Amino acid sequence: MKLSEFTTDESLDALCVMTPYINNIIVDADLSEELRKKIDPQQMKTKAEMMLEGARKINALVPIILKNHRLDVYGILSVLNKKTPGEIGKQNFLVTAAQIRDVVKDKAFVDFFKSCAEQEESAS
């Protein structure tokens, strides 16, 4: 379920529970460092090169998030899908992957936490 599909009361309750999980991910130094490395499209000659560079970026980010912040991811997904973190960990991987994709595509969710990350970064 997407945050944008919740009522205001549900959204506020969900944000209260999810914020510590999100914060744990946002303040990760390794993740921040990897996100600072920009892909320069001007250096790419072909679409295949761009896709390869994008894949490299994903390959660098995924282990940081899923190894160092697995419980945070489970916590976020549990709130959005009205399950326990334990249930998220035990469900079929394809279900979890679809839930992660929904979170990443939820513009309201991404915009809210992106603004939080930007504030955190400017305060540092």
Side-chain angles (χ1 to χ4, degrees):
M1 184 173 228
K2 293 182 178 183
L3 186 62
S4 57
E5 296 171 351
F6 284 25
T7 66
T8 300
D9 284 340
E10 290 172 326
S11 294
L12 296 177
D13 291 341
L15 289 170
C16 288
V17 175
M18 285 189 297
T19 298
Y21 299 125
I22 298 290
N23 188 63
N24 290 340
I25 296 169
I26 289 172
V27 299
D28 184 289
D30 294 334
L31 182 64
S32 294
E33 179 63 29
E34 190 58 43
L35 290 171
R36 281 189 184 93
K37 297 176 187 175
K38 302 291 182 193
I39 296 174
D40 183 1
Q42 302 300 331
Q43 293 181 346
M44 307 296 149
K45 294 180 179 113
T46 66
K47 188 172 183 176
E49 287 177 324
M50 285 198 70
M51 290 175 62
L52 181 60
E53 194 58 34
R56 285 187 185 130
K57 186 76 155 172
I58 290 169
N59 287 338
L61 294 173
V62 168
I64 294 170
I65 294 170
L66 297 183
K67 183 177 181 186
N68 299 347
H69 297 287
R70 182 176 301 183
L71 296 179
D72 295 317
V73 171
Y74 288 0
I76 294 163
L77 293 178
S78 70
V79 172
L80 293 173
N81 294 285
K82 300 180 181 181
K83 295 183 174 189
T84 67
E87 290 172 319
I88 297 295
K90 300 290 183 218
Q91 72 188 5
N92 181 284
F93 172 73
L94 295 178
V95 172
T96 304
Q99 291 169 341
I100 291 170
R101 188 175 51 248
D102 285 345
V103 169
V104 173
K105 288 184 173 184
D106 185 353
K107 185 170 174 21
F109 179 89
V110 172
D111 287 350
F112 179 81
F113 285 105
K114 184 177 178 185
S115 69
C116 292
E118 289 167 354
Q119 288 176 0
E120 177 77 26
E121 199 169 278
S122 67
S124 304

